[in-house]
Amino acid sequence: LAKTTQPISMDSYEGQEVNITCSHNNIATNDYITWYQQFPSQGPRFIIQGYKTKVTNEVASLFIPADRKSSTLSLPRVSLSDTAVYYCLVGYEKLTFGTGTRLTIIP
Amino acid sequence: SQTIHQWPATLVQPVGSPLSLECTVEGTSNPNLYWYRQAAGRGLQLLFYSVGIGQISSEVPQNLSASRPQDRQFILSSKKLLLSDSGFYLCAWSVGGFDYGYTFGSGTRLTVV
């Protein structure tokens, strides 16, 4: 399984755009890149998934360069409710979650 | 729509006691089912993985076992709990292939005392 590296924590002000980058140098050909959000005492919630280039949905965008060795989750105009832990996962099945990035939004 | 139910929400058990956590999925057939554990301040550790009835893969050697007696039922068990079994246990499901991710249950907070 491909290993991922992401920042342990990040702070941002309300209304800003937040970009969280994840490195996955050993990504395999059939691996997808998936991001989850987790609030305290809750299960992770799927945010977005992609294979290459750019994916956008109603809550986030995912940018994946051509070599797929990294990816960037972009959260537009964050609010206090976006304070959570964000996990980057790479794989196809039996996904393993690392410690994630603890994002704190400051009023 | 698909839903996943996990219970109980919280549990306090003494060391050496047995454990049974249940997870059921509705609205889908033949899902892949997963048990994860999250220690305080840590990431999620995959414990067990099942692609069908009676088919269980153990990812980490431990004091726990899992069973899948029905297509949409996944049970996590232990004969004798250890203090180190404390944690937040999460059940999840997915469909095979490009599945747009896992759907997690609400979790069980287990404290072994």
Side-chain angles (χ1 to χ4, degrees):
Chain A
L1 297 175
K3 183 177 179 180
T4 60
T5 302
Q6 52 184 120
I8 294 174
S9 63
M10 294 179 65
D11 295 337
S12 180
Y13 288 98
E14 274 192 294
Q16 302 271 332
E17 177 185 76
V18 172
N19 296 310
I20 306 174
T21 297
C22 179
S23 298
H24 28 80
N25 292 317
N26 298 321
I27 189 168
T29 302
N30 62 346
D31 285 344
Y32 288 91
I33 300 161
T34 313
W35 286 79
Y36 288 82
Q37 175 192 56
Q38 186 180 27
F39 298 112
S41 298
Q42 295 186 25
R45 183 176 70 98
F46 173 88
I47 300 175
I48 197 167
Q49 184 178 66
Y51 184 81
K52 61 182 179 181
T53 62
K54 176 184 175 182
V55 180
T56 298
N57 61 23
E58 62 276 9
V59 298
S61 294
L62 179 59
F63 299 92
I64 305 169
D67 65 6
R68 303 200 329 123
K69 293 183 182 299
S70 67
S71 60
T72 299
L73 173 72
S74 181
L75 303 173
R77 298 181 297 281
V78 294
S79 64
L80 294 176
S81 63
D82 292 316
T83 293
V85 177
Y86 292 81
Y87 296 96
C88 163
L89 288 87
V90 172
Y92 192 72
E93 293 179 320
K94 299 191 295 183
L95 301 180
T96 297
F97 290 69
T99 52
T101 297
R102 184 172 299 278
L103 175 65
T104 302
I105 306 303
I106 305 166
Chain B
S1 63
Q2 302 91 350
T3 56
I4 180 168
H5 303 281
Q6 191 179 341
W7 66 93
T10 60
L11 191 60
V12 180
Q13 291 284 99
V15 169
S17 64
L19 173 73
S20 180
L21 302 181
E22 188 164 343
C23 171
T24 60
V25 180
E26 296 178 357
T28 187
S29 297
N30 197 31
N32 292 339
L33 296 173
Y34 311 84
W35 278 111
Y36 283 87
R37 177 172 62 197
Q38 186 172 34
R42 306 291 295 275
L44 281 75
Q45 178 186 40
L46 178 62
L47 302 176
F48 298 98
Y49 163 62
S50 173
V51 298
I53 296 174
Q55 301 179 62
I56 309 294
S57 295
S58 175
E59 295 298 309
V60 180
Q62 58 219 321
N63 183 42
L64 303 168
S65 62
S67 61
R68 185 170 178 174
Q70 300 181 46
D71 180 45
R72 288 169 288 179
Q73 183 184 31
F74 205 23
I75 298 171
L76 182 70
S77 303
S78 174
K79 292 182 179 179
K80 290 184 178 182
L81 284 169
L82 306 172
L83 287 174
S84 57
D85 292 323
S86 294
F88 190 45
Y89 288 82
L90 288 155
C91 178
W93 75 271
S94 71
V95 296
F98 184 49
D99 58 11
Y100 295 95
Y102 293 6
T103 300
F104 283 84
S106 54
T108 295
R109 174 81 54 195
L110 171 66
T111 303
V112 182
V113 297

